[in-house]
């Protein structure tokens, strides 16, 4: 009878030892996965920060460049208009001295207009004669997006997913810690305390 009790005790302790080892292994895996998810979330937060900084820089640079082109177009339009007005005055002027002066001013205006023409792209000039600044800004930003990572929201979304995964694994580790404690108690209780042993084992399970 005593040998049967000892054998039962040994079997129970063996079973608890196996379960403790199994839970410890699963806990280690969960902790490893939690660490990996937390590391990934940290990387995504860093990528989100760099994407935000790069996006702000891109907007600043593209806006400055577009407005510089717009200024070039404005100067071009002003000099072209001035040349046209001077030509009208030249046609209405009868004295040779005034015509010579006007011809010089017309040549200077056309020269300045030709120079200003190099500071903007003709494809952004509308048929109405206005400059399509909005289109240039949109195209420049889209081109920057093709070459650089500017999507902050995508990185933040992935970071949030990794944070949730980390939290879930941490909860699992805590739960497994409680399970490990229950199995340890079950193994430590005296065989005569069957209710406590089996209650602890059942709780751990």
């Amino acid at each position: 009878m005593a040998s049967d009790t000892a054998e039962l005790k040994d079997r129970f302790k063996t079973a608890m030892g196996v379960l403790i080892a199994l839970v410890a292994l699963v806990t280690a895996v969960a902790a490893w996965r939690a660490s990996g998810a937390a590391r990934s979330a940290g990387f995504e937060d860093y990528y989100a920060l760099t994407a935000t900084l790069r996006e702000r820089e891109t907007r600043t640079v593209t806006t400055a460049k577009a407005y510089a082109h717009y200024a070039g177009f404005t100067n071009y339009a002003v000099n072209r208009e001035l040349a046209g007005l001077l030509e009208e005055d030249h046609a209405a002027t009868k004295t040779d001295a005034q015509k010579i002066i006007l011809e010089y001013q017309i040549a200077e205006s056309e020269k300045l207009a030709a120079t200003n023409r190099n500071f903007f792209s003709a494809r952004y000039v509308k048929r109405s004669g206005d400059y399509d600044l909005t289109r240039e800004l949109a195209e420049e930003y889209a081109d920057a997006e093709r070459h650089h990572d500017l999507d902050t929201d995508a990185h933040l979304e992935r970071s949030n997913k990794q944070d949730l995964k980390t939290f879930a694994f941490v909860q699992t580790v805590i739960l497994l810690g409680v399970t490990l404690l229950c199995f340890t108690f079950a193994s430590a209780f005296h065989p005569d305390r069957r209710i406590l042993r089996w209650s602890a084992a059942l709780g751990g399970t």
Side-chain angles (χ1 to χ4, degrees), residues 78-88 105-106 109-110 113:
V78 167
N79 286 309
R80 287 284 296 173
E81 183 68 21
L82 178 60
L85 293 174
L86 289 171
E87 286 175 356
E88 290 178 4
Q105 292 176 337
I106 290 170
S109 296
E110 289 178 346

Side-chain angles (χ1 to χ4, degrees), residues 78-182:
V78 167
N79 286 309
R80 287 284 296 173
E81 183 68 21
L82 178 60
L85 293 174
L86 289 171
E87 286 175 356
E88 290 178 4
D89 290 342
H90 182 272
T93 299
K94 296 181 179 179
T95 62
D96 292 337
Q98 288 181 334
K99 283 188 176 184
I100 291 173
I101 293 172
L102 288 171
E103 285 172 1
Y104 173 78
Q105 292 176 337
I106 290 170
E108 286 297 308
S109 296
E110 289 178 346
K111 188 187 299 183
L112 287 173
T115 301
N116 297 141
R117 177 64 188 79
N118 297 319
F119 293 101
F120 64 92
S121 176
R123 66 196 183 101
Y124 296 121
V125 180
K126 299 179 183 178
R127 290 185 178 180
S128 61
D130 298 328
Y131 193 77
D132 198 344
L133 183 64
T134 303
R135 178 188 167 193
E136 181 176 2
L137 284 168
E139 288 185 2
E140 288 291 329
Y141 188 81
D143 184 63
E145 277 188 314
R146 284 193 292 271
H147 295 88
H148 303 288
D149 180 12
L150 307 178
D151 195 351
T152 302
D153 292 337
H155 290 297
L156 290 177
E157 184 178 350
R158 285 195 287 268
S159 176
N160 289 335
K161 287 181 180 179
Q162 293 300 321
D163 284 335
L164 291 174
K165 189 181 291 186
T166 302
F167 182 67
F169 280 123
V170 169
Q171 285 182 313
T172 302
V173 169
I174 294 172
L175 182 62
L176 289 171
V178 175
T179 301
L180 194 61
L181 187 62
C182 289

Side-chain angles (χ1 to χ4, degrees), residues 1-10 191-192:
M1 186 71 175
S3 62
D4 291 340
T5 304
E7 184 180 352
L8 182 61
K9 176 182 176 182
D10 290 339
D192 293 338

Side-chain angles (χ1 to χ4, degrees), residues 17-102:
V18 170
L19 289 174
I20 288 171
L22 182 61
V23 171
L25 177 62
V26 175
T27 302
V29 171
W32 170 65
R33 292 296 302 275
S35 175
R39 186 168 57 253
S40 297
F43 281 133
E44 291 298 336
D45 286 336
Y46 172 75
Y47 295 147
L49 176 61
T50 55
T52 300
L53 294 174
R54 196 177 294 116
E55 193 269 344
R56 297 303 177 199
E57 180 186 8
T58 299
R59 285 198 181 278
T60 301
V61 171
T62 54
T63 301
K65 187 189 295 185
Y67 273 96
H69 295 165
Y70 184 57
F73 168 77
T74 302
N75 291 331
Y76 166 79
V78 167
N79 286 309
R80 287 284 296 173
E81 183 68 21
L82 178 60
L85 293 174
L86 289 171
E87 286 175 356
E88 290 178 4
D89 290 342
H90 182 272
T93 299
K94 296 181 179 179
T95 62
D96 292 337
Q98 288 181 334
K99 283 188 176 184
I100 291 173
I101 293 172
L102 288 171

